[in-house]
Amino acid sequence: MSRPRTQPGMGPARHGNRFGMAAGMAVSKPKNFKMTIRRMWNVFGKETRILTIIFLILLADVTLMLAAPYGIGKAVDVMAEGGAQTGMLGMIVLALLIAYVADGVLTLLQGWIMAGVAQRAVQRLRTSLFAKLQKLPVAFFDSRTHGELMSRLSNDIDNVSSSISQSTAQLMSGGLMIAGSLVMMLALSPILTISCLATVPLVWLLTKSIAKRTRLLFKNQQIQLGRLNGHMEETISGIHVVKAFNQEQNVIAQFEATNQELLKVGLKAQILSGFLMPFMNVINNLGFALVAIVGGLLAVEEMITVGVIASFLSYSRQFVRPLNEMANIFNVLQSGVAGAERVFEVLDEQEEIEDVRHAVPLIHPRGHVVFDRVSFGYRPGQPILHDVSFEAKAGSTTALVGPTGAGKTTIVNLLTRFYDVTDGTILLDGRDIREYTRDSLRSSFGFVLQDTYLFSGTIRENIKYGKPDATDAEVEEAARLANADPFIRRLPKGYDTVLSENGGNLSQGQRQLLAIARVILAKPALLILDEATSSIDTRTEIHIQEALRKLMEGRTSFVIAHRLNTIRDADTIMVVDGGRIVEQGSHDELMAKRGTYCRMFASQFANVEVPQ
């Protein structure tokens, strides 16, 4: 089922009513780094058991790495005492060899398991985001470019994925290594430990100052990337229009401008984040020098042995290296958090308002529609419809005519609950449409729009879109009624011909015929035809009009038309202008009034007398 056109770029107004509804309003969430980290961690909810296994592997690995420096110190002391303890030295070397080999095996094992955890977590996040997009109101998509949304679903998710896979295990192992190294250093020499810790405040201040600046830059980088993707998606989708108006150089210039902004912000983010490690190395070297000086003085005073100094230097490296890595990881997290925030912004958007508690399914609708003093605006204080009232009896055909932007499509959007009214009531079979479940209400409508949309797949699959369980015979009968069967059978694979994106390998008229066949097959109770034959040649239009008349028999139909000859037989023709119904009646009645409709009709047909 195709989606009706809406006012592009316009969001809905917040409207209250007796159902307490406010369609399409977003839930505002603060840009909070710590909150985003917690929410990213919650994505791991179903991986607790696996994460426990990873933690135990890391604990074993860290234990081995903490034992290694102690063994090195003992080996140095054994060598310092002479060759009498050669057997002890051999045992220590063998133990160190086993420890380092085991470290390599455990590191590979935890990396392999962590990769699976990260990919499964991101898969759940990607699935949640895509499912969320299906639940958001039309207003959400009307106010955002498709490319920008695609960027959130792909680029931002990829950033989250890389951050998780790179940082989670390193943060856990780094925390364990720092704690374990600190304990061992204190056990060996509290004085040397104090010397080693003297540089930690410098590391903290450096990390905090750089991370504070890079966070905003990485966030801005993701925004610019989304804009670039939006521009590319629009340009590729509208490539025929671009070439028809010779706008290639203009779109290239726009792309280069956006790409240049992305370059600037990306360059700043990468350069600033790149400052971290060189400065960290300077601080670390100062720390090593301080430990060496203090250790030498203590050794001269025979307060510690050379082996202790050797062990302590190894522990200090193991203590500082995770600090450096965690500082670097924190820098990597800036990009991931920036992407995660943009994903969570969509996940926090308010979905379509839930059905009211007493909502009932719409079963076997008759199609009696009443608009009772309906007013609506997409934005607060900017009404589109003003006090609209009319009645469409069951099985009747109501045509909506008027200038572009008068409110014709808005009336249809309200009837199908793509938006909810600001004031007034819409009744279907005597009941407020908000008292029906939304799914059953929309399932009762069939749409044939001016701008058709076909999905990638076969012609047969596209016709069956509104009725997946239809038989091949039903599909072909619907195509015959829509006059699509002849051209389909002329294609190399007939009904099994695979369409490109939006049926790009078919003409506009052929795509329209398939859209009509799709509705004919679905057999909805109510029809909405929005310039349904505007892209079809005159000869084909005669056949289509005949098929539509058969389809419309016994069904309530709403026809939006600019070609007035296509709606002369409508039961009621409503002239909409400025959000109001200025005239309504049959064709003959409106022509007799010699008002707005008569002038519109005369402007299209030269042989009709224009009223004075």
Side-chain angles (χ1 to χ4, degrees):
M1 184 179 293
S2 301
R3 181 170 64 85
R5 294 170 307 177
T6 53
Q7 301 287 340
M10 289 189 175
R14 180 184 292 275
H15 7 99
N17 49 47
R18 65 189 181 93
F19 292 89
M21 297 179 179
M25 297 305 295
V27 178
S28 178
K29 293 290 183 181
K31 304 296 185 297
N32 188 306
F33 180 81
K34 293 181 180 179
M35 178 64 71
T36 304
I37 290 292
R38 283 198 291 268
R39 294 186 66 175
M40 289 175 65
W41 181 254
N42 289 337
V43 175
F44 286 93
K46 296 183 179 180
E47 303 289 342
T48 304
R49 184 177 301 177
I50 304 298
L51 287 173
T52 302
I53 294 174
I54 292 175
F55 179 79
L56 293 176
I57 293 174
L58 290 173
L59 185 61
D61 189 23
V62 168
T63 301
L64 290 173
M65 289 299 95
L66 289 174
Y70 184 78
I72 291 173
K74 285 296 182 183
V76 171
D77 285 339
V78 167
M79 287 186 291
E81 292 174 4
Q85 302 186 44
T86 304
M88 176 66 72
L89 180 62
M91 292 177 59
I92 293 174
V93 171
L94 179 62
L96 287 172
L97 180 61
I98 293 173
Y100 286 125
V101 171
D103 168 60
V105 173
L106 291 175
T107 300
L108 289 174
L109 181 60
Q110 68 86 14
W112 176 63
I113 298 175
M114 191 64 219
V117 171
Q119 290 305 311
R120 287 192 296 273
V122 171
Q123 179 194 36
R124 288 194 295 273
L125 187 61
R126 186 182 290 113
T127 300
S128 298
L129 180 59
F130 186 78
K132 179 72 175 188
L133 291 174
Q134 312 310 308
K135 299 175 182 178
L136 292 173
V138 171
F140 174 84
F141 299 96
D142 287 345
S143 58
R144 292 163 177 82
T145 66
H146 295 170
E148 198 270 341
L149 293 177
M150 286 297 297
S151 179
R152 300 195 188 213
L153 193 58
S154 56
N155 296 324
D156 293 331
I157 291 287
D158 287 341
N159 270 340
V160 175
S161 173
S162 60
S163 297
I164 291 174
S165 59
Q166 291 181 36
S167 62
T168 305
Q170 286 181 295
L171 287 173
M172 287 194 292
S173 64
L176 290 172
M177 185 62 75
I178 290 171
S181 297
L182 182 60
V183 170
M184 295 301 294
M185 286 192 299
L186 286 170
L188 290 173
S189 173
I191 296 176
L192 284 178
T193 303
I194 294 173
S195 301
C196 183
L197 294 177
T199 59
V200 172
L202 294 177
V203 173
W204 180 80
L205 289 173
L206 178 65
T207 303
K208 182 179 179 181
S209 61
I210 290 181
K212 182 178 180 181
R213 291 169 174 80
T214 56
R215 186 182 311 161
L216 181 60
L217 288 172
F218 279 121
K219 175 74 173 179
N220 199 6
Q221 178 179 326
Q222 292 304 112
I223 292 174
Q224 293 298 332
L225 185 58
R227 290 174 179 170
L228 190 69
N229 284 339
H231 179 72
M232 288 190 294
E233 192 271 341
E234 288 181 347
T235 302
I236 294 172
S237 298
I239 190 66
H240 293 90
V241 177
V242 172
K243 290 184 176 296
F245 286 91
N246 297 318
Q247 291 298 303
E248 293 92 339
Q249 293 305 316
N250 285 339
V251 297
I252 291 173
Q254 293 170 12
F255 179 87
E256 289 179 347
T258 306
N259 201 21
Q260 187 66 26
E261 288 299 317
L262 178 59
L263 170 65
K264 288 179 181 178
V265 69
L267 197 59
K268 288 180 181 178
Q270 296 300 327
I271 290 176
L272 187 57
S273 63
F275 285 159
L276 185 61
M277 290 311 297
F279 284 132
M280 291 288 287
N281 289 333
V282 172
I283 295 174
N284 293 339
N285 291 333
L286 290 175
F288 289 142
L290 184 60
V291 170
I293 292 171
V294 175
L297 294 174
L298 292 176
V300 170
E301 297 294 330
E302 298 184 349
M303 297 178 65
I304 58 175
T305 66
V306 175
V308 169
I309 295 176
S311 296
F312 198 93
L313 285 173
S314 295
Y315 282 124
S316 66
R317 288 192 183 95
Q318 290 188 164
F319 177 80
V320 172
R321 189 185 68 233
L323 284 178
N324 293 349
E325 290 177 349
M326 292 176 75
N328 193 44
I329 289 169
F330 195 72
N331 212 17
V332 170
L333 277 176
Q334 304 306 308
S335 178
V337 169
E341 280 188 345
R342 284 163 51 81
V343 171
F344 291 139
E345 283 174 3
V346 177
L347 291 176
D348 290 337
E349 288 284 341
Q350 182 170 312
E351 300 175 3
E352 284 191 306
I353 302 299
E354 293 184 0
D355 297 325
V356 294
R357 289 186 178 180
H358 58 278
V360 297
L362 179 56
I363 302 174
H364 304 304
R366 293 180 292 108
H368 182 204
V369 175
V370 175
F371 271 58
D372 183 15
R373 303 179 66 84
V374 169
S375 296
F376 172 76
Y378 290 99
R379 294 176 179 174
Q382 299 181 20
I384 301 297
L385 297 181
H386 308 270
D387 202 26
V388 171
S389 297
F390 66 87
E391 178 181 6
K393 295 182 179 179
S396 66
T397 299
T398 301
L400 303 173
V401 301
T404 300
K408 303 184 297 297
T409 301
T410 300
I411 290 175
V412 170
N413 286 341
L414 296 177
L415 180 58
T416 53
R417 285 199 69 193
F418 287 121
Y419 293 91
D420 280 322
V421 299
T422 306
D423 294 301
T425 307
I426 301 174
L427 303 175
L428 177 57
D429 294 344
R431 185 189 288 265
D432 193 313
I433 61 173
R434 291 167 292 188
E435 296 178 0
Y436 294 116
T437 59
R438 186 181 283 105
D439 289 344
S440 66
L441 175 69
R442 291 179 183 168
S443 297
S444 301
F445 286 90
F447 299 90
V448 180
L449 309 179
Q450 181 178 7
D451 300 322
T452 61
Y453 193 90
L454 301 177
F455 297 91
S456 298
T458 66
I459 288 178
R460 191 185 310 277
E461 290 169 343
N462 270 276
I463 295 177
K464 292 171 65 174
Y465 191 77
K467 190 181 179 182
D469 58 348
T471 65
D472 290 348
E474 290 175 325
V475 171
E476 293 172 11
E477 177 63 21
R480 278 192 291 270
L481 288 173
N483 202 35
D485 184 72
F487 90 79
I488 294 174
R489 294 192 181 277
R490 287 195 299 269
L491 296 173
K493 294 185 179 180
Y495 285 87
D496 294 319
T497 300
V498 177
L499 302 179
S500 60
E501 183 180 0
N502 197 21
N505 48 344
L506 298 178
S507 69
Q508 178 64 28
Q510 289 172 331
R511 293 199 296 269
Q512 195 78 312
L513 291 172
L514 292 183
I516 293 172
R518 185 160 57 192
V519 175
I520 290 174
L521 179 62
K523 296 180 180 179
L526 298 95
L527 297 175
I528 293 175
L529 310 177
D530 188 350
E531 290 291 337
T533 61
S534 62
S535 301
I536 299 172
D537 60 87
T538 305
R539 181 178 177 181
T540 304
E541 182 181 1
I542 296 173
H543 298 287
I544 294 302
Q545 288 292 352
E546 181 179 351
L548 290 177
R549 278 194 292 271
K550 292 179 181 178
L551 179 63
M552 293 162 63
E553 288 178 1
R555 292 183 172 89
T556 304
S557 304
F558 292 86
V559 183
I560 298 176
H562 291 289
R563 292 161 63 175
L564 302 184
N565 65 311
T566 62
I567 48 94
R568 294 183 61 167
D569 297 330
D571 298 296
T572 302
I573 299 173
M574 296 192 302
V575 181
V576 184
D577 193 6
R580 303 179 187 276
I581 298 176
V582 296
E583 288 182 357
Q584 61 177 307
S586 66
H587 171 78
D588 293 337
E589 290 171 346
L590 294 179
M591 291 298 292
K593 288 183 179 179
R594 305 177 70 81
T596 303
Y597 177 81
C598 184
R599 287 191 293 272
M600 292 172 59
F601 197 85
S603 67
Q604 293 188 15
F605 302 96
N607 60 343
V608 177
E609 181 183 353
V610 179
Q612 300 299 319

